[in-house]
Amino acid sequence: MNRSIDPKAFFTTLFEAAVSAADPSKTIRTFLPPKPKGRTIVVGAGKGAAQMAAALEDAWDGPLEGTVVTRYGYGAPTRVIEVLEAAHPVPDEAGLAGAKRLMETVAGLGPDDLVIALVCGGGSALLPAPAGSLTLADEIAVNEALLASGAPISAMNTVRKHISTIKGGRLAAAAHPARVVSLVVSDIPGDDPALVSSGPTVPDSAGRADALAIVEAFGMDLPEAVMQHLASPQADAPSPDDEGFAQNEVHVIASAARSLEAAAREAEKQGVPAVILSDAIEGEAREAGGFHAAIAREIAAKGRPFQKPVMLLSGGETTVTLSGKGGRGGRNTEFLLALALGIEGVAGVSAFAADTDGIDGSEDNAGAFADHHTVVRLRQAGHDPKALLAKHDAWGAFDTLDDLFVPGPTGTNVNDLRVVLVR
């Protein structure tokens, strides 16, 4: 291992390798469907939807038309595909209009037409489409409760699809009898495409009873109108067995697993042995941080389960259950602050965690850097690291140290990249 490696520069190259592996311009051509006899319509949503649309335009040999919805500031230049922007992680009126526009785009199609759906993480919030008598305010309340609940993303999206007129396969159902080919960049542990962005074009078998069980299990306080809707047949989503989906295709064109493998290859090029722990780690961010710290301590002290030097990689999506008023931060900075507490004084350990879409939580950073000096430096700056963690202000901790990682929007999203280096 090259002892002169600068951890921040090293981790940044790993992030770039992971993002590059999920770049739609490099993956989308492999999964293009045959051209149809009729029209080719494009719909899509997510934080990388505009980049996917631009990549599709470059790869497609024929006429295209359609609309995608992405997060404010995440747009990309396209020639013919319309790009709309809306709010994330809390829905807004622009998202409501965007969801309506997508449904209008697929209306009235015939059996000779083709719909290419470009789906990636973030679409759940970007496509509010309240069902029945529910309102945008109701959907916002549900979204806020889900984000604060600590529920895994799969559980969140099970609830979301049962209060929507576009999620849970309903966008594809509206396109019938046209054939729908979904190209999915997965940010879901396990890469189930039906759960990415709550599956607007890919139904799954979870029912409203499952949604109600999730609400109860995580103690969510939802508006009465939402609870009444979830208990009614109106909430039922299309079944994957419905004949209207029989001719459709679904392809996962990028995922956390592929990005982790790319990061591991880049590390090994630089002389650092790499181990992928998992691409599907879920649970509380601080607990995941403590677990990674424990492995790092074991390696540093006893040379097990891996010999040092070694780099540990993991992916997936952790959660942050808010207790009281939360501070500024996201799951990656919370993971790192908990890890920093666990590696205090363990020489030679450094770490990095970032969301591959370029944004972690509500601020402009993707994540941060940490090492065995982080906690000492925070105390020297007059801060109590444990108190900052308790109030979910990990962003404040790493901002104080100038250790935030701010790459800007990346144009893709395969969830989190976590790296622990033990020299």
Side-chain angles (χ1 to χ4, degrees):
M1 176 178 172
N2 184 351
R3 293 183 180 276
S4 66
I5 283 178
D6 171 58
K8 285 188 176 181
F10 175 63
F11 292 146
T12 299
T13 63
L14 301 185
F15 179 83
E16 291 169 350
V19 168
S20 178
D23 183 345
S25 68
K26 299 176 181 178
T27 60
I28 208 165
R29 292 178 183 273
T30 305
F31 300 95
L32 294 180
K35 287 188 289 187
K37 294 180 181 178
R39 300 161 63 197
T40 300
I41 304 296
V42 179
V43 291
K47 287 179 276 188
Q51 288 76 10
M52 292 180 76
L56 179 61
E57 286 184 344
D58 289 340
W60 189 255
D61 180 20
L64 286 170
E65 56 185 300
T67 302
V68 299
V69 183
T70 193
R71 180 176 178 163
Y72 291 127
Y74 279 50
T78 53
R79 296 187 296 274
V80 295
I81 300 172
E82 178 184 29
V83 177
L84 304 179
E85 296 187 2
H88 183 282
V90 179
D92 69 353
E93 291 283 350
L96 197 65
K100 181 180 179 183
R101 177 74 175 136
L102 293 189
M103 294 296 276
E104 291 171 346
T105 299
V106 301
L109 298 179
D112 290 333
D113 297 323
L114 169 69
V115 174
I116 301 178
L118 307 175
V119 183
C120 55
S124 295
L126 292 167
L127 296 180
S133 61
L134 300 181
T135 65
L136 177 60
D138 290 324
E139 192 154 348
I140 290 173
V142 171
N143 214 54
E144 290 176 336
L146 289 170
L147 292 172
S149 70
I153 188 65
S154 55
M156 290 189 194
N157 289 352
T158 295
V159 175
R160 285 168 169 151
K161 80 168 191 174
H162 285 95
I163 61 166
S164 175
T165 61
I166 195 169
K167 301 177 178 76
R170 293 180 177 89
L171 180 59
H176 186 73
R179 188 164 75 98
V180 179
V181 175
S182 299
L183 306 182
V184 180
V185 174
S186 173
D187 66 335
I188 298 291
D191 298 329
D192 182 351
L195 297 176
V196 179
S197 287
S198 303
T201 56
V202 186
D204 75 347
S205 57
R208 55 190 166 97
D210 298 298
L212 287 167
I214 289 166
V215 171
E216 181 179 359
F218 289 92
M220 298 178 205
D221 183 16
L222 302 184
E224 181 58 31
V226 172
M227 296 303 295
Q228 289 179 1
H229 177 80
L230 287 174
S232 74
Q234 268 191 306
D236 290 334
S239 167
D241 297 329
D242 287 356
E243 290 185 5
F245 300 116
Q247 64 174 344
N248 295 350
E249 294 180 15
V250 182
H251 302 283
V252 176
I253 69 170
S255 67
R258 295 172 195 170
S259 287
L260 288 173
E261 289 162 4
R265 287 193 297 271
E266 178 61 30
E268 288 168 354
K269 277 185 194 175
Q270 299 192 42
V272 183
V275 175
I276 297 174
L277 298 178
S278 171
D279 64 359
I281 290 179
E282 297 182 276
E284 287 294 317
R286 64 180 61 193
E287 293 176 4
F291 172 71
H292 284 66
I295 297 176
R297 289 197 308 270
E298 191 76 5
I299 294 169
K302 301 175 183 177
R304 64 186 189 197
F306 310 108
Q307 291 289 325
K308 58 185 177 182
V310 68
M311 186 186 74
L312 309 178
L313 285 161
S314 72
E317 180 170 316
T318 58
T319 52
V320 175
T321 302
L322 296 178
S323 50
K325 185 173 177 58
R328 290 182 295 176
R331 59 183 182 261
N332 286 292
T333 50
E334 179 140 334
F335 165 89
L336 276 175
L337 185 53
L339 183 143
L341 284 161
I343 62 169
E344 181 183 1
V346 183
V349 180
S350 52
F352 167 77
D355 193 321
T356 53
D357 71 3
I359 298 292
D360 181 41
S362 59
E363 302 298 327
D364 65 352
N365 64 302
F369 305 94
D371 60 27
H372 64 285
H373 296 303
T374 295
V375 169
V376 172
R377 292 168 60 210
L378 282 170
R379 294 196 186 106
Q380 289 173 342
H383 295 283
D384 180 348
K386 290 184 178 179
L388 290 171
L389 184 61
K391 65 180 182 180
H392 307 293
D393 194 16
W395 183 93
F398 291 105
D399 182 55
T400 295
L401 302 178
D402 196 28
D403 280 342
L404 292 172
F405 176 60
V406 188
T410 64
T412 191
N413 180 21
V414 289
N415 243 315
D416 301 331
L417 172 69
R418 294 180 288 269
V419 189
V420 182
L421 175 63
V422 186
R423 299 202 189 201

